[in-house]
């Protein structure tokens, strides 16, 4: 759900002289720098437009595995030195991979930003890991999969949500990859992936902090400008039908005492700024489960006490067809199917009867208040700009998207609820193994 990103995305009102500048280098790297002078720190995020939806059958987990190997050194910066350098400068760094992107980030004293950017520019073009390091890291990744997916009820649930909802391999596979593939990936597979997708014209650099925007763009140009652009491979065809026969699957987990359920609907993403339904879907997620006064919380958790928890999520900005996901845990003595029926009844009530202006107003006022109180995260500001730029929009579209979220009407919410039909749906149930 994008609203939580917007909640964290804005800075406290900045001085009038603070500015945001962007520039695309001749090699295709887009650089965005936002000045935020409240503290002498800066956040740098380097977004590569490659994730699990770009992978092929038998090679799942490539993007995530390469993320790990990006810390294994270059001829200039041996394995482990990147992290030690950032730490010695008093900063923090990490990375993550999702379905659409791989992102590397550093939080650093603003004065040390050029040194961090130099490290990123070096590993954009000079990654050089050994076969032994690859084999060691793949053991780490397989253990990570065991902990986060196979030994986690929630992890199993989310993996099966995508397996159950889609038919194309690139849409179904987990970001971390299937265990069989994690045993057969080779070091050369990762090197080829790096050569194909790690290029300036397939990346966006975002900096937010106590910096001079023009000078920072010049620094980025000097560090990254000499890296050649590449021809990236054709992207996978991610199109899937929104409507098909309802899908249902069950699995088990030894680490939960109560069943976990997911009810997922194939819905449209935001493709252009004047689309109405995606904004309404985003607000609908808040109406259903955004806070303690939402419908699921007030009616199912506290009212009927049929659920221990119910959540809803939707990704407004998505390269592929997103899912409107509802996840829940039934209360004791309540069957998973009974709770699914109650969830569907709440959606059907909105589809048939709509919502009142007061209910919508409460959600929108709460969202606006949350935005005001949370205008304090440089990382979130950078993250939203990066997501917009890598998913087909511009960072300057943020204000218009927020405006349109606040302009959603009750009739839009009703139309969005009408999209959540059985022929768009999939159900996943994770049951305790002892049952």
């Amino acid at each position: 759900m994008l609203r939580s990103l917007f909640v964290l995305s804005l800075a406290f009102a900045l001085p009038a002289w603070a500015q945001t500048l962007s520039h695309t280098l001749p090699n295709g790297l887009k650089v965005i720098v936002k000045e935020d002078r409240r503290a002498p720190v800066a956040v740098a995020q380097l977004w590569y437009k490659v994730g699990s939806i770009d992978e092929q059958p038998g090679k799942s987990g490539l993007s995530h595995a390469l993320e790990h190997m990006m810390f294994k050194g270059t001829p200039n910066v041996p394995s482990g030195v990147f992290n030690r350098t950032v730490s010695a400068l008093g900063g923090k760094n990490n990375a993550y991979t999702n379905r659409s992107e791989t992102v590397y980030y550093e939080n650093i004293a603003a004065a040390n930003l050029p040194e961090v950017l130099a490290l990123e520019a070096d590993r954009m073009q000079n990654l050089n890991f050994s076969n032994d390091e690859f084999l060691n890291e793949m053991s780490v990744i397989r253990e990570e999969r065991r902990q986060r997916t196979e030994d986690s009820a929630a992890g199993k649930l989310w993996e099966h949500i995508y397996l159950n909802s889609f038919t194309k391999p690139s849409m179904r596979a987990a970001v971390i990859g299937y265990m069989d593939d994690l045993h057969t990936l080779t070091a050369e597979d990762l090197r080829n992936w790096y050569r194909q997708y790690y290029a300036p014209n397939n990346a966006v650099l975002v900096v937010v902090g106590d910096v001079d925007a023009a000078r920072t763009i010049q620094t980025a140009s000097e560090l990254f400008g000499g890296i050649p652009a590449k021809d990236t491979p054709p992207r996978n065809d991610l199109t899937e039908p929104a409507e098909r026969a309802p899908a249902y699957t069950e699995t088990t987990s030894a680490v939960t005492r109560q069943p976990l359920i997911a009810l997922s609907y194939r819905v449209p993403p935001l493709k252009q700024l004047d689309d109405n339904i995606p904004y309404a879907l985003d607000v609908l997620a808040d109406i259903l489960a955004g806070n303690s006064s939402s419908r699921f919380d007030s009616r199912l958790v506290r009212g009927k006490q049929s659920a221990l928890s119910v959540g809803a999520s939707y990704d407004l900005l998505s390269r592929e067809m997103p899912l409107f996901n509802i996840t829940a845990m039934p209360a004791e003595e309540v069957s998973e199917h009974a709770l699914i029926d109650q969830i569907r009844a709440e959606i059907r009530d909105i589809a048939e009867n709509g919502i009142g202006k007061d209910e919508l107003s409460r959600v929108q006022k709460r969202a606006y208040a949350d935005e005001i109180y949370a205008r304090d995260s440089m990382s979130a500001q950078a993250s939203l700009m990066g997501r917009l730029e890598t998913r087909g929009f511009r960072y300057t579209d943020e204000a218009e998207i927020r405006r349109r979220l606040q302009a959603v009407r009750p009739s839009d919410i009703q139309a969005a609820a009408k999209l959540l039909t059985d022929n768009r749906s999939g159900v996943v149930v994770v049951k305790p193994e002892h049952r």
Side-chain angles (χ1 to χ4, degrees):
M1 185 167 54
L2 189 63
R3 185 168 306 280
S4 60
L5 285 169
F6 284 120
V7 161
L8 295 174
S9 69
L10 305 177
F12 285 124
L14 299 177
W17 41 261
Q19 61 180 339
T20 302
L21 298 180
S22 71
H23 177 66
T24 301
L25 305 186
N27 61 8
L29 177 68
K30 185 162 189 179
V31 183
I32 305 168
V33 183
K34 183 175 185 179
E35 297 177 354
D36 186 332
R37 308 282 190 177
R38 292 170 297 152
V41 297
V43 171
Q45 296 181 356
L46 187 55
W47 293 65
Y48 289 97
K49 303 174 191 178
V50 61
S52 62
I53 57 176
D54 297 298
E55 297 163 359
Q56 302 297 326
K59 304 294 183 183
S60 66
L62 259 177
S63 301
H64 175 256
L66 179 56
E67 175 216 313
H68 280 236
M69 300 312 299
M70 283 288 284
F71 294 90
K72 299 307 176 182
T74 71
N76 300 317
V77 183
S79 180
V81 172
F82 189 110
N83 289 348
R84 290 199 296 272
T85 300
V86 175
S87 180
L89 293 172
K92 296 181 179 180
N93 70 291
N94 213 324
Y96 64 87
T97 305
N98 59 34
R99 290 170 63 81
S100 299
E101 304 98 13
T102 309
V103 184
Y104 301 87
Y105 59 91
E106 294 85 25
N107 299 345
I108 197 77
N112 297 325
L113 178 64
E115 189 167 350
V116 165
L117 295 182
L119 291 171
E120 287 290 8
D122 177 51
R123 68 176 175 179
M124 178 183 277
Q125 60 182 329
N126 297 318
L127 182 64
N128 184 33
F129 58 84
S130 69
N131 290 345
D132 286 343
E133 284 186 318
F134 163 77
L135 292 174
N136 289 337
E137 200 63 28
M138 290 308 298
S139 295
V140 172
I141 293 170
R142 288 192 291 268
E143 181 59 28
E144 181 183 346
R145 178 184 163 83
R146 278 188 283 269
Q147 291 180 359
R148 296 189 178 185
T149 302
E150 290 159 4
D151 294 340
S152 164
K156 267 195 173 182
L157 180 75
W158 281 103
E159 179 165 82
H160 280 81
I161 284 172
Y162 289 99
L163 288 170
N164 190 51
S165 296
F166 298 111
T167 59
K168 291 189 174 179
S170 55
M171 293 286 283
R172 305 181 80 212
V175 172
I176 199 169
Y178 301 122
M179 186 63 85
D180 287 348
D181 292 349
L182 297 181
H183 280 283
T184 58
L185 288 178
T186 67
E188 198 58 27
D189 288 331
L190 270 67
R191 294 185 184 110
N192 286 334
W193 202 245
Y194 172 77
R195 287 191 286 264
Q196 288 177 323
Y197 287 104
Y198 277 56
N201 53 309
N202 196 46
V204 177
L205 173 64
V206 184
V207 175
V208 177
D210 185 17
V211 298
D212 179 278
R215 188 176 304 146
T216 301
I217 286 177
Q218 180 60 36
T219 298
S221 180
E222 293 169 357
L223 294 170
F224 291 88
I227 304 174
K230 298 177 183 178
D231 293 328
T232 56
R235 299 287 180 172
N236 288 331
D237 179 6
L238 302 176
T239 57
E240 293 240 7
E243 297 186 358
R244 61 183 175 90
Y248 180 87
T249 191
E250 289 185 2
T251 187
T252 61
S253 172
V255 293
T256 183
R257 295 178 58 189
Q258 283 294 102
L260 277 70
I261 64 174
L263 181 56
S264 304
Y265 297 91
R266 295 176 293 276
V267 293
L270 185 68
K271 292 184 177 180
Q272 53 190 38
L273 288 178
D274 59 356
D275 291 343
N276 285 328
I277 285 295
Y279 299 112
L281 286 166
D282 191 84
V283 179
L284 175 60
D286 276 351
I287 295 227
L288 290 173
N291 53 74
S292 60
S293 62
S294 65
R295 292 209 174 193
F296 289 157
D297 284 76
S298 61
R299 298 184 182 187
L300 303 185
V301 176
R302 298 194 311 278
K304 296 178 181 178
Q305 298 185 358
S306 56
L308 298 178
S309 64
V310 191
S313 62
Y314 166 71
D315 187 357
L316 181 69
L317 302 175
S318 181
R319 270 176 54 195
E320 78 277 17
M321 178 188 294
L323 296 172
F324 190 101
N325 286 308
I326 299 165
T327 56
M329 178 179 285
E332 292 281 354
E333 309 303 325
V334 176
S335 75
E336 53 269 23
H337 296 290
L339 181 55
I340 290 170
D341 287 343
Q342 292 177 20
I343 290 170
R344 283 177 166 149
E346 294 296 334
I347 295 170
R348 189 165 55 249
D349 178 57
I350 295 176
E352 293 175 354
N353 304 312
I355 64 169
K357 291 182 179 180
D358 289 345
E359 184 176 8
L360 177 58
S361 178
R362 283 196 303 272
V363 167
Q364 291 175 324
K365 287 179 179 178
R366 180 184 293 271
Y368 182 70
D370 286 343
E371 289 171 1
I372 293 172
Y373 287 118
R375 292 176 181 178
D376 199 24
S377 171
M378 291 182 185
S379 294
Q381 293 177 65
S383 292
L384 183 53
M385 289 191 287
R387 291 188 77 226
L388 286 165
E389 290 287 339
T390 56
R391 299 192 181 187
F393 295 89
R394 299 170 299 176
Y395 76 93
T396 52
D397 292 330
E398 176 187 342
E400 178 63 11
I401 291 174
R402 289 202 323 272
R403 187 191 71 78
R404 289 180 176 272
L405 284 167
Q406 287 291 322
V408 168
R409 301 165 300 177
S411 59
D412 299 324
I413 300 294
Q414 186 171 11
K418 289 180 178 179
L419 276 186
L420 307 186
T421 57
D422 288 348
N423 60 356
R424 288 176 175 263
S425 72
V427 172
V428 177
V429 178
V430 179
K431 293 186 174 183
E433 279 189 1
H434 61 267
R435 284 195 170 187

